[in-house]
Coordinates of all heavy atoms in Angstrom, one line a residue:
A255 N 0.9 -1.2 0.0 CA 0.0 0.0 0.0 C 0.9 1.2 0.0 O 1.0 2.0 1.0 CB -0.9 0.0 1.2
P256 N 1.6 1.5 -1.1 CA 2.5 2.7 -1.2 C 1.7 4.0 -0.9 O 0.6 4.2 -1.3 CB 2.9 2.7 -2.7 CG 2.7 1.3 -3.2 CD 1.5 0.8 -2.4
G257 N 2.3 4.8 -0.1 CA 1.7 6.1 0.3 C 1.0 6.0 1.6 O 0.5 7.1 2.1
F258 N 0.9 4.8 2.2 CA 0.1 4.8 3.4 C 0.7 5.6 4.5 O 0.0 6.4 5.2 CB 0.0 3.3 3.9 CG -0.6 3.2 5.3 CD1 -1.9 3.4 5.6 CD2 0.2 2.8 6.4 CE1 -2.4 3.3 6.8 CE2 -0.3 2.7 7.6 CZ -1.6 2.9 7.9
L259 N 2.0 5.5 4.8 CA 2.6 6.3 5.9 C 2.5 7.8 5.6 O 2.4 8.6 6.6 CB 4.1 5.9 6.0 CG 4.3 4.5 6.6 CD1 5.8 4.3 6.8 CD2 3.6 4.4 8.0
D260 N 2.4 8.2 4.4 CA 2.2 9.6 4.1 C 0.9 10.1 4.6 O 0.6 11.3 4.8 CB 2.4 9.9 2.6 CG 3.8 9.7 2.1 OD1 4.7 9.8 2.9 OD2 4.0 9.3 0.9
R261 N -0.1 9.2 4.6 CA -1.5 9.5 5.0 C -1.7 9.5 6.5 O -2.7 10.0 7.0 CB -2.4 8.5 4.4 CG -2.5 8.6 2.9 CD -3.0 10.0 2.4 NE -4.2 10.4 3.2 CZ -5.4 9.9 3.0 NH1 -5.7 9.1 2.1 NH2 -6.4 10.3 3.8
V262 N -0.7 8.9 7.3 CA -0.8 8.9 8.7 C -0.7 10.2 9.3 O 0.3 11.0 9.1 CB 0.2 7.9 9.3 CG1 0.1 7.9 10.9 CG2 0.0 6.5 8.8
D263 N -1.6 10.6 10.2 CA -1.6 12.0 10.8 C -1.0 11.9 12.2 O -0.4 12.9 12.7 CB -3.0 12.5 10.9 CG -3.6 12.7 9.6 OD1 -3.2 13.7 8.9 OD2 -4.6 12.0 9.2
L264 N -1.2 10.7 12.9 CA -0.7 10.6 14.3 C 0.0 9.3 14.5 O -0.6 8.2 14.2 CB -1.9 10.7 15.3 CG -1.6 10.4 16.7 CD1 -0.5 11.2 17.3 CD2 -2.9 10.5 17.6
F265 N 1.2 9.3 14.9 CA 2.0 8.1 15.2 C 2.0 7.9 16.7 O 2.6 8.7 17.4 CB 3.4 8.2 14.6 CG 3.5 8.2 13.1 CD1 3.4 9.4 12.4 CD2 3.7 7.0 12.4 CE1 3.5 9.4 11.1 CE2 3.8 7.0 11.0 CZ 3.7 8.3 10.4
A266 N 1.3 6.9 17.2 CA 1.2 6.6 18.6 C 2.0 5.3 18.9 O 1.8 4.3 18.2 CB -0.2 6.5 19.0
G267 N 2.7 5.3 20.0 CA 3.5 4.1 20.3 C 3.8 4.0 21.8 O 3.9 5.1 22.5
T268 N 3.9 2.8 22.3 CA 4.2 2.6 23.7 C 5.5 1.8 23.8 O 5.7 0.8 23.1 CB 3.1 1.8 24.4 OG1 1.9 2.5 24.4 CG2 3.4 1.5 25.9
S269 N 6.4 2.2 24.7 CA 7.6 1.5 25.0 C 8.4 1.3 23.7 O 8.7 2.3 23.0 CB 7.3 0.1 25.6 OG 8.4 -0.5 26.2
T270 N 8.7 0.1 23.2 CA 9.4 -0.1 22.0 C 8.6 0.5 20.8 O 9.1 1.0 19.8 CB 9.7 -1.5 21.7 OG1 10.7 -1.7 20.6 CG2 8.5 -2.4 21.4
G271 N 7.3 0.5 21.0 CA 6.4 1.1 19.9 C 6.6 2.6 19.8 O 6.4 3.2 18.8
S272 N 6.9 3.2 21.0 CA 7.1 4.7 20.9 C 8.4 5.0 20.1 O 8.5 6.0 19.4 CB 7.2 5.3 22.4 OG 8.5 4.9 23.0
I273 N 9.4 4.1 20.2 CA 10.6 4.3 19.5 C 10.3 4.2 18.0 O 10.7 5.0 17.2 CB 11.7 3.3 19.9 CG1 12.1 3.5 21.4 CG2 12.9 3.4 19.0 CD1 13.0 2.5 22.0
L274 N 9.5 3.2 17.6 CA 9.2 3.0 16.2 C 8.3 4.2 15.7 O 8.5 4.7 14.6 CB 8.4 1.7 16.0 CG 9.2 0.4 16.3 CD1 8.3 -0.8 16.3 CD2 10.3 0.3 15.3
A275 N 7.4 4.6 16.6 CA 6.5 5.7 16.2 C 7.3 7.0 15.9 O 7.1 7.8 15.0 CB 5.5 6.0 17.3
A276 N 8.3 7.3 16.8 CA 9.2 8.4 16.6 C 10.0 8.3 15.3 O 10.2 9.3 14.6 CB 10.1 8.6 17.8
F277 N 10.6 7.2 15.1 CA 11.3 7.0 13.8 C 10.4 7.4 12.6 O 10.8 8.1 11.7 CB 11.7 5.5 13.6 CG 13.0 5.1 14.3 CD1 13.1 4.0 15.1 CD2 14.1 5.9 14.2 CE1 14.2 3.6 15.7 CE2 15.3 5.5 14.8 CZ 15.4 4.4 15.6
L278 N 9.2 6.8 12.6 CA 8.3 7.0 11.5 C 7.8 8.4 11.4 O 7.7 9.0 10.3 CB 7.1 6.0 11.6 CG 7.5 4.5 11.5 CD1 6.3 3.7 11.8 CD2 8.1 4.2 10.2
A279 N 7.5 9.0 12.5 CA 7.0 10.4 12.6 C 8.1 11.4 12.1 O 7.9 12.5 11.6 CB 6.6 10.8 14.0
G280 N 9.4 11.0 12.3 CA 10.5 11.7 11.8 C 10.9 11.6 10.4 O 11.8 12.2 9.9
G281 N 10.2 10.7 9.7 CA 10.4 10.5 8.3 C 11.2 9.2 7.9 O 11.4 9.0 6.7
A282 N 11.6 8.4 8.8 CA 12.3 7.2 8.5 C 11.3 6.2 7.9 O 10.1 6.2 8.2 CB 12.9 6.6 9.7
S283 N 11.8 5.3 7.0 CA 11.0 4.2 6.5 C 11.0 3.1 7.4 O 11.9 3.0 8.3 CB 11.6 3.8 5.1 OG 12.8 3.1 5.3
P284 N 10.0 2.1 7.3 CA 10.1 0.9 8.2 C 11.4 0.2 8.0 O 11.9 -0.4 9.0 CB 8.9 0.1 7.7 CG 7.9 1.2 7.1 CD 8.8 2.2 6.5
G285 N 11.9 0.1 6.8 CA 13.1 -0.6 6.6 C 14.3 0.0 7.3 O 15.1 -0.7 7.9
E286 N 14.3 1.3 7.3 CA 15.4 2.0 8.1 C 15.3 1.8 9.6 O 16.3 1.6 10.3 CB 15.3 3.5 7.8 CG 15.8 3.9 6.4 CD 15.6 5.3 6.0 OE1 14.6 5.9 6.5 OE2 16.4 5.9 5.3
A287 N 14.0 1.8 10.1 CA 13.8 1.6 11.5 C 14.2 0.2 11.9 O 14.9 -0.1 12.9 CB 12.3 1.8 11.9
A288 N 13.9 -0.8 11.0 CA 14.3 -2.2 11.2 C 15.8 -2.4 11.3 O 16.3 -3.1 12.1 CB 13.7 -3.1 10.2
S289 N 16.5 -1.6 10.4 CA 17.9 -1.7 10.4 C 18.5 -1.2 11.7 O 19.5 -1.8 12.2 CB 18.5 -0.9 9.2 OG 18.1 -1.5 8.0
Y290 N 18.0 -0.2 12.3 CA 18.4 0.3 13.6 C 18.2 -0.7 14.6 O 19.1 -0.9 15.5 CB 17.7 1.6 13.9 CG 18.5 2.8 13.4 CD1 18.3 3.2 12.1 CD2 19.4 3.5 14.2 CE1 19.0 4.3 11.6 CE2 20.1 4.6 13.7 CZ 19.9 5.0 12.4 OH 20.6 6.0 11.9
Y291 N 17.1 -1.4 14.6 CA 16.9 -2.5 15.6 C 17.9 -3.6 15.4 O 18.4 -4.1 16.4 CB 15.5 -3.1 15.4 CG 14.4 -2.4 16.3 CD1 14.2 -1.0 16.2 CD2 13.7 -3.1 17.3 CE1 13.3 -0.4 17.0 CE2 12.8 -2.4 18.1 CZ 12.6 -1.1 18.0 OH 11.7 -0.4 18.8
E292 N 18.2 -4.0 14.2 CA 19.2 -5.0 14.0 C 20.6 -4.6 14.5 O 21.3 -5.4 15.1 CB 19.3 -5.3 12.5 CG 18.1 -6.0 11.9 CD 18.1 -6.0 10.4 OE1 19.0 -5.4 9.8 OE2 17.2 -6.7 9.8
E293 N 20.9 -3.3 14.4 CA 22.1 -2.8 14.9 C 22.2 -2.6 16.4 O 23.2 -3.0 17.0 CB 22.4 -1.4 14.2 CG 23.7 -0.7 14.6 CD 24.9 -1.5 14.1 OE1 24.8 -2.1 13.0 OE2 26.0 -1.5 14.8
Y294 N 21.1 -2.1 17.0 CA 21.2 -1.7 18.4 C 20.7 -2.7 19.4 O 21.1 -2.7 20.5 CB 20.4 -0.4 18.6 CG 21.1 0.8 18.1 CD1 20.5 1.6 17.1 CD2 22.3 1.2 18.6 CE1 21.1 2.8 16.7 CE2 23.0 2.3 18.1 CZ 22.4 3.1 17.2 OH 23.0 4.2 16.7
V295 N 19.7 -3.5 19.0 CA 19.1 -4.5 20.0 C 20.2 -5.4 20.7 O 20.1 -5.6 21.9 CB 18.0 -5.3 19.4 CG1 17.6 -6.5 20.2 CG2 16.7 -4.4 19.2
P296 N 21.1 -5.9 19.9 CA 22.1 -6.8 20.6 C 22.9 -6.0 21.6 O 23.4 -6.6 22.6 CB 23.0 -7.2 19.4 CG 22.1 -7.2 18.2 CD 21.3 -6.0 18.4

């Protein structure tokens, strides 16, 4: 569904979800956010 994130008005998240919500609200793609998890979670 290309363009879906552009349509999102409010990114809400809790705990790890808040981190993902902030990534996305800041303009990062899901793939970029996932790469940060791969890098930092260990």
Side-chain angles (χ1 to χ4, degrees):
F258 169 70
L259 287 181
D260 294 334
R261 294 298 314 280
V262 175
D263 298 289
L264 170 59
F265 293 87
T268 299
S269 195
T270 192
S272 72
I273 297 173
L274 294 173
F277 275 133
L278 299 172
S283 69
E286 288 172 329
S289 296
Y290 271 84
Y291 268 60
E292 292 169 350
E293 179 68 33
Y294 283 123
V295 163

